[in-house]
């Protein structure tokens, strides 16, 4: 029985010496486990494969955070068959038990927060505060979905008529394939996995290949919290190698994916095909990319706007689906805002995030991008920008320990509908676009195929109302930045090519993992 109301976990800003020492110690401890080998886990059995995913530290790629067994296609099929079998009993387990497991796991995460943060600092280059926010969000997801599971278990009201007792309630779907990205490697992985589990489904978790170690920690924590063997399969493997097998298999009932538009579309298309022996239409929950924006009007608070833009553009190296990659600025304040953004951007220190440099202003501490392929792709965009627009600041890739570092980069005079205004770069690159009028700003904001997050700074109530009506954006923020959605407070998901608008962390989310059954009894 849960008596306490849901409350968001507080993010640690590491203001005290004591907190900083705990985190520094946790990093040292995690470094001692570098190069450790991890198994895959099918039906509760740990299997060490000779083929391994090498998870490296993007701040210093010569350091191996973990060597994680890589699943084969045959193991993916075996995992699906076992998960299908295990669904028969897990789907009948009581909601109270399923929710209690999530609450226990949330408590274990609270106890192990520094360790989990330290894994993310080294496995994906999060700075301390960003890592802590990731762990806090993972805890929030479990606390929230544990409660939501109980709410859904009480069914839905139906209209009463004489002579019949009618009941509508919710049952789970079956075997779910969970495919998360690397950018919120604990929060998103936990949210997607535990939402499916708490509603009674069995899950094959295929973590992103850049972050399988932190995903293993989630498996370990859920097991410690009492999750029975066989409910969660931990199946690291290359998306290119086992992805199609998992998506195509007739026993797969649903796929929940968060990642790029390209892979999301591929999954959506493949899942639509009914394969031999398949008894259902697969459900696909796909949360994809963004080309998010901040509009600044000439009557807005430009100090707050400049802070919002820089934090949104460069927090976690611009690798958030909600990152501010476009600043749409009214022509009357255009040059002034460029100067303010430049000044703030140039204060950002780039380096190994194991070091905690500047307390209080956490986003002024930027780590590496996730991997070499990302670095190369982002640098291509930067070279393109240098040739085709005005470079305001940044533009280079500093050499530090062979890490994947890129200077925060700002381009101005970016034209609407041009490459840098349209394509998701997913790195520390901000495009500034001049707007002729408020209407023009709305037109530019809405001109991409995406529709994930956006923000507007203005003191005009009329403009705020119009923005609220006309900006086609899943998560719209007024007079604040466009990142930092909180579980329960800002249900998250986007329109158009940003995905199926699942609103993760909201009250509609668990319904995506359930189906409604109506029973009508003559009385
Ligand atoms: P990604 O390259 O699309 O990969 C996402 C996941 O898909 C990974 O686990 C990947 O595995 C897997 N995958 C790759 N090929 C596959 C295939 N053929 N079949 C099945 N799975 C396959 O994306 P990412 O680089 O990890 O993440 C960045 C993207 O995620 C950005 O576009 C960002 O905007 C988006 N994102 C969206 C949200 C949202 O809520 N809308 C939140 C966070 C991130 P491997 O790692 O093994 O390749």
């Amino acid at each position: 029985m849960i008596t306490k109301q849901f409350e968001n976990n507080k993010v640690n800003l590491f203001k005290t010496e004591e907190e900083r020492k705990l985190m520094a110690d946790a990093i040292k401890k995690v470094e001692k486990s570098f190069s450790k080998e991890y198994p895959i886990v099918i039906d509760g059995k740990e299997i060490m494969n000779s083929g391994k995913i090498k998870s490296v530290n993007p701040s210093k790629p010569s350091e191996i955070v973990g060597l994680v067994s890589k699943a084969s296609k045959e193991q993916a099929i075996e995992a699906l068959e076992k998960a299908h079998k295990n669904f028969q009993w897990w789907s009948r387990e009581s909601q109270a038990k399923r929710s209690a497991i999530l609450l226990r796991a949330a408590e274990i995460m609270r106890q192990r927060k520094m360790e989990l943060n330290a894994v993310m600092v080294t496995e994906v280059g999060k700075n301390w505060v960003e890592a802590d926010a990731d762990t806090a969000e993972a805890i929030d997801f479990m606390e929230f979905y544990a409660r939501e599971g109980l709410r859904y278990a009480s069914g839905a009201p139906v209209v009463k008529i004489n002579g019949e007792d009618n009941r509508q309630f919710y049952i789970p779907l079956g075997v779910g394939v969970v495919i998360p990205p690397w950018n919120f490697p604990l929060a998103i992985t936990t949210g997607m996995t535990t939402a499916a589990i708490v509603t009674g489904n069995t899950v094959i978790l295929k973590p992103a290949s850049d972050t399988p170690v932190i995903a293993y920690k989630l498996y370990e924590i859920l097991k410690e919290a009492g999750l029975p063997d066989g409910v969660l399969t931990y199946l690291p493997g290359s998306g290119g190698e086992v992805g199609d097998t998992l998506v195509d298999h007739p026993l797969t009932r649903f796929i929940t994916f968060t990642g790029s538009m390209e892979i999301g579309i591929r999954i959506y298309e493949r899942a639509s095909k009914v394969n031999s022996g398949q008894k259902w239409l697969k459900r696909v929950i796909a949360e994809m990319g963004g080309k998010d924006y901040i509009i600044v009007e000439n009557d807005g608070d430009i100090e707050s706007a400049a802070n919002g833009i820089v934090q949104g553009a460069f927090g976690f190296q611009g690798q958030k689906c909600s990152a501010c990659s476009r600043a749409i600025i009214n022509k009357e304040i255009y040059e002034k805002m460029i100067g303010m953004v430049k000044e703030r951007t140039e204060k950002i220190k780039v380096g190994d995030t194991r070091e905690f440099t500047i307390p209080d202003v956490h986003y002024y501490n930027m780590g590496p991008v996730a991997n070499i392929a990302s670095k190369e792709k982002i640098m291509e965009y930067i070279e393109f920008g240098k040739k085709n627009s005005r470079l305001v600041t940044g533009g280079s890739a500093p050499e530090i320990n062979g890490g994947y570092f890129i200077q925060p980069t700002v381009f101005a005079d970016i034209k609407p509908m041009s490459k840098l205004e349209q394509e998701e770069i997913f790195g520390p690159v901000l495009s500034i676009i001049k707007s002729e009028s408020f209407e023009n700003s709305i037109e530019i904001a809405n001109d991409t195929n995406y529709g994930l997050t956006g923000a507007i700074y203005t003191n005009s109530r009329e403009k705020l109302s119009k923005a609220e009506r006309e900006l086609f954006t899943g998560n719209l923020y007024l007079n604040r930045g466009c990142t930092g959605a909180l579980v329960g407070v800002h249900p998250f998901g986007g329109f158009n090519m940003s995905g199926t608008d699942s609103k993760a962390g909201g009250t509609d989310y668990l319904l995506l993992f359930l189906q409604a059954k109506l029973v009508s009894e003559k009385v």
Side-chain angles (χ1 to χ4, degrees):
M1 186 62 189
I2 305 175
T3 48
K4 224 172 131 237
Q5 271 206 329
F6 171 79
E7 238 175 69
N8 295 105
N9 204 267
K10 293 237 170 350
V11 176
N12 194 334
L13 299 178
F14 298 98
K15 289 197 171 170
T16 69
E17 201 50 56
E18 193 192 342
E19 288 163 335
R20 291 198 282 269
K21 182 166 180 331
L22 283 173
M23 187 65 193
D25 289 348
I27 290 174
K28 286 203 191 86
K29 204 165 161 207
V30 163
E31 284 172 338
K32 289 205 179 100
S33 67
F34 277 2
S35 292
K36 187 178 155 190
E37 299 197 357
Y38 295 85
I40 60 174
V41 187
I42 300 176
D43 203 18
K45 283 187 202 62
E46 301 198 348
I47 307 157
M48 280 290 183
N49 282 351
S50 55
K52 295 280 193 303
I53 296 171
K54 197 158 103 178
S55 179
V56 302
N57 178 356
S59 292
K60 193 175 179 193
S62 58
E63 291 176 339
I64 299 168
V65 177
L67 287 163
V68 182
S69 295
K70 193 180 189 178
S72 64
K73 283 185 187 164
E74 293 68 32
Q75 286 173 322
I77 294 168
E78 183 196 341
L80 283 161
E81 287 167 354
K82 295 270 166 60
H84 179 67
K85 195 169 64 59
N86 292 328
F87 175 69
Q88 307 313 318
W89 53 264
W90 178 245
S91 56
R92 291 173 171 80
E93 193 49 89
S94 78
Q95 187 58 49
K97 179 170 173 181
R98 294 199 295 246
S99 288
I101 292 169
L102 264 63
L103 293 179
R104 275 199 296 277
E107 184 50 37
I108 298 168
M109 274 197 189
R110 263 186 223 105
Q111 304 301 327
R112 290 173 63 176
K113 210 174 185 200
M114 294 293 179
E115 174 207 343
L116 299 168
N117 295 348
V119 173
M120 286 188 278
V121 167
T122 52
E123 193 172 35
V124 78
K126 293 221 162 193
N127 73 28
W128 295 16
V129 177
E130 298 274 7
D132 199 83
D134 203 312
T135 311
E137 192 177 353
I139 295 167
D140 284 354
F141 275 133
M142 290 197 286
E143 290 278 354
F144 190 75
Y145 295 149
R147 290 167 171 77
E148 282 292 292
L150 289 164
R151 186 172 71 80
Y152 275 100
S154 65
V158 287
V159 171
K160 289 198 185 318
I161 57 167
N162 287 334
E164 282 181 9
D165 180 13
N166 294 308
R167 310 180 278 278
Q168 179 178 307
F169 52 92
Y170 296 102
I171 60 171
L173 293 171
V175 179
V177 172
V178 172
I179 309 179
W182 47 261
N183 71 332
F184 282 88
L186 187 58
I188 293 183
T189 309
T190 301
M192 292 164 80
T193 304
T194 60
I197 286 176
V198 81
T199 38
N201 303 284
T202 47
V203 166
I204 313 287
L205 166 62
K206 193 222 82 62
S209 294
D210 284 313
T211 50
V213 174
I214 190 70
Y216 182 81
K217 300 278 169 190
L218 170 64
Y219 160 75
E220 205 176 60
I221 287 168
L222 284 167
K223 186 173 163 70
E224 190 185 333
L227 188 70
D229 283 350
V231 177
L232 173 61
T233 301
Y234 169 73
L235 199 85
S238 148
E241 285 167 29
V242 293
D244 288 350
T245 306
L246 292 169
V247 170
D248 296 349
H249 200 279
L251 289 179
T252 297
R253 177 64 181 83
F254 67 97
I255 300 123
T256 174
F257 165 84
T258 306
S260 62
M261 177 178 76
E262 291 72 23
I263 304 294
I265 291 173
R266 181 187 177 90
I267 290 174
Y268 188 72
E269 281 177 358
R270 294 190 77 99
S272 69
K273 181 158 186 317
V274 177
N275 290 311
S276 166
Q278 188 178 318
K279 281 194 186 171
W280 42 68
L281 299 176
K282 289 174 190 168
R283 196 177 284 181
V284 176
I285 304 153
E287 292 307 312
M288 313 193 291
K291 190 70 187 173
D292 312 308
Y293 59 85
I294 292 183
I295 295 173
V296 190
E297 284 298 294
N298 54 3
D299 54 13
D301 173 351
I302 57 173
E303 287 289 329
S304 302
N307 290 337
I309 289 169
V310 174
Q311 179 161 14
F314 304 119
F316 189 38
Q317 295 77 268
Q319 302 171 118
K320 297 184 188 179
C321 51
S322 55
C324 170
S325 59
R326 297 183 294 158
I328 304 166
I329 314 288
N330 180 278
K331 63 182 178 190
E332 286 166 29
I333 50 167
Y334 185 70
E335 289 302 334
K336 185 163 188 192
M337 281 296 299
I338 290 174
M340 289 166 73
V341 167
K342 178 175 192 290
E343 188 198 328
R344 284 161 175 76
T345 304
E346 287 175 351
K347 283 189 187 146
I348 295 174
K349 182 174 170 357
V350 178
D352 191 325
T353 43
R354 276 176 287 194
E355 202 188 314
F356 185 69
T357 43
I358 310 168
D360 296 333
V361 253
H362 63 268
Y363 53 90
Y364 289 170
N365 183 5
M366 225 178 76
V369 299
N371 54 48
I372 186 70
S374 287
K375 182 179 171 186
E376 284 169 359
K377 185 178 139 208
I378 297 162
M379 287 311 293
E380 273 173 34
Y381 276 107
I382 289 178
E383 290 312 318
F384 178 89
K386 283 183 189 167
K387 288 195 194 96
N388 295 284
S389 55
R390 169 161 49 128
L391 177 67
V392 175
T393 187
S396 63
E399 168 42 48
I400 312 165
N401 294 326
Y404 311 133
F405 297 99
I406 297 179
Q407 213 57 53
T409 298
V410 180
F411 290 110
D413 303 347
I414 299 290
K415 295 281 170 262
M417 303 310 290
S418 66
K419 187 177 167 79
L420 294 190
E421 197 266 333
Q422 290 284 310
E423 294 176 17
E424 184 183 46
I425 300 172
F426 219 57
V429 181
L430 171 70
S431 297
I432 303 187
I433 305 140
K434 189 194 275 184
S435 160
E436 296 300 318
S437 63
F438 173 60
E439 284 69 26
N440 187 214
S441 295
I442 291 193
E443 199 182 335
I444 297 167
N446 284 342
D447 74 4
T448 75
N449 286 341
Y450 295 108
L452 192 47
T453 79
I456 176 166
Y457 286 86
T458 171
N459 284 322
S460 153
R461 179 42 58 191
E462 205 181 312
K463 285 183 187 170
L464 288 174
S465 304
K466 188 166 173 168
E468 190 167 335
R469 276 194 313 275
E470 296 193 7
L471 287 167
F472 199 65
T473 304
N475 281 57
L476 178 66
Y477 301 104
L478 308 180
N479 288 318
R480 53 148 287 184
C482 63
T483 58
L486 286 173
V487 172
V489 182
H490 312 112
F492 192 81
F495 302 153
N496 290 347
M497 281 300 169
S498 290
T500 50
D501 192 34
S502 67
K503 289 292 180 274
T507 51
D508 298 333
Y509 191 64
L510 289 195
L511 195 51
L512 298 168
F513 303 87
L514 292 163
Q515 52 198 336
K517 182 166 179 178
L518 187 281
V519 175
S520 182
E521 183 176 353
K522 194 159 172 42
V523 288

